[in-house]
Structure formats: C-alpha cells, structure tokens
Amino acid sequence: MKNQHFALSAGAILLGAFLYSAMSFSELAAVLTPVIVHELGHIVTLRLYGLRIRRFSADLRGLCMEYSGVCTPLAHAVSALAGPAAGLAYAFAASYFGRRSGNEVLTLSSGVSLLLSLFNLLPVLPLDGGRVFAIAADEVLGGRRGDRLTKTVGLVLSTALLMAGTWLMWQGKGTALALAAIWLLAAQPDNAALVKRRELL
C-alpha cells in the first residue's frame, strides 16, 4: 500500500458516488474544475522548487498529496499558498468570462473556487493556510511551542466556526459552515510537525 502513487479511501469513493448521483454533469464539472486548478497550483510550484511528489490520496479530508525534498521553509510556505492563489486566479477569470458569455456553469465554478480558496487560507491545519501558519510559528517560536500554538489556534478557530455555523443553522441559513467546522475539528492532526511540510491539500 505504501508504494501506491494514488490511493482512494472507502469514504472518498462513497462521497464521489453521492456527488455523482446528486449533481448534474455541469454542476459536477463546476465543482471539480476548481479542485483540479487548486492542485495544479501546488504541483507546478513543488516542481519549480525541485520537490518530488510521492503520492496522491483521496479520503474524507479531500485530495491530498505527499511530497519530499529539501528546501527552505519559505519554499514550503509558497508551495502551500500556490493552491489557493491558483484557485483565486481561476475564480476571477471564470467570473469574468461567465458574466461576459452568460455561462452559468462558469459563474457557479467561480463561486466554488472562491469559497474553496478562502476556506483553504484559514490558519488551521490541515488546510494550506494552517500549514503556512505552522511553518511561521515553528520559525518564530521553535518546534514545540510553535506546534502548541498551531494546535491551539486550530481548535479555537474551528470551535468558533462551529458556533457560528450552528447559529446560522438555527436561523435557517444552511448547514454548510457547521459541517465544514465539524470536518475541521475531526481533521485536526495529532502531531502538527509531521504534516506541516510534507502534505498539501
């Protein structure tokens, strides 16, 4: 299993089957395109820094890539930010061309990409913003104190999002934020040091 270059968990397969059955082809394309653009941002930047992508995996955390190689903390941080940056660029481009052409799929895809990118910039592991925060905390405070700060910020922000999401759900404004917060709380890593420079969502 460790030698596989791509792995799918049972949860990812079930989630994919649900999305396939619940969405039309155009809606599915509007969701998947921003995900692909996001991952390409990571891939291109990692390759530019000479880092090696060892494995892709898809589970309930999302699509994740493991990489290896020696580079500076700044390079790790830039590689993490490249995904949301690519997503934001795509969001603005899709919005522009969607409005000009009246293409509703592009407009929907733009909104999905914008939300995905902004969510990934939150300073909470395992999100890209969390990895950047963890790297900065490690550089400023040192490994142990930096990891402790990263975990604390992650738990506090995830809990705050859950409270806000619960309030929105109580007001009848949807469950998306509450579900995202629950996912973040469940995805908190036991050891921030093991993931902050080796995996990207």
Side-chain angles (χ1 to χ4, degrees):
M1 294 295 291
K2 291 183 179 180
N3 293 326
Q4 287 184 332
H5 295 294
F6 191 89
L8 284 172
S9 71
I13 293 172
L14 288 174
L15 178 60
F18 171 76
L19 292 176
Y20 181 78
S21 63
M23 294 181 172
S24 66
F25 178 79
S26 59
E27 290 171 335
L28 196 59
V31 171
L32 290 180
T33 302
V35 173
I36 293 170
V37 170
H38 179 102
E39 298 305 326
L40 283 175
H42 287 315
I43 291 169
V44 170
T45 308
L46 289 171
R47 296 302 300 163
L48 287 174
Y49 278 116
L51 297 170
R52 180 183 178 189
I53 300 168
R54 303 183 63 87
R55 187 170 183 261
F56 292 92
S57 61
D59 53 30
L60 291 181
R61 289 189 305 166
L63 182 62
C64 181
M65 66 179 72
E66 299 174 17
Y67 68 97
S68 63
V70 179
C71 66
T72 64
L74 178 61
H76 287 290
V78 171
S79 298
L81 290 175
L88 288 172
Y90 171 78
F92 286 113
S95 175
Y96 174 77
F97 289 109
R99 288 198 311 268
R100 289 196 55 134
S101 64
N103 189 314
E104 295 182 359
V105 175
L106 275 178
T107 302
L108 173 61
S109 190
S110 169
V112 170
S113 190
L114 180 63
L115 289 175
L116 175 66
S117 300
L118 293 178
F119 181 70
N120 259 284
L121 286 173
L122 291 175
V124 181
L125 286 174
L127 302 176
D128 297 322
R131 297 175 195 284
V132 175
F133 184 88
I135 292 168
D138 181 50
E139 292 297 309
V140 174
L141 299 176
R144 185 171 298 178
R145 287 187 296 173
D147 287 348
R148 190 180 302 121
L149 177 63
T150 299
K151 290 180 180 179
T152 301
V153 170
L155 288 173
V156 169
L157 286 181
S158 298
T159 302
L161 285 175
L162 180 58
M163 293 172 64
T166 302
W167 182 82
L168 288 174
M169 188 169 56
W170 183 264
Q171 297 295 314
K173 297 182 179 179
T175 61
L177 184 59
L179 291 175
I182 292 171
W183 175 83
L184 270 182
L185 284 168
Q188 290 298 295
D190 294 329
N191 190 338
L194 294 178
V195 299
K196 64 188 176 186
R197 297 188 186 181
R198 286 295 177 267
E199 296 181 12
L200 290 170
L201 283 178

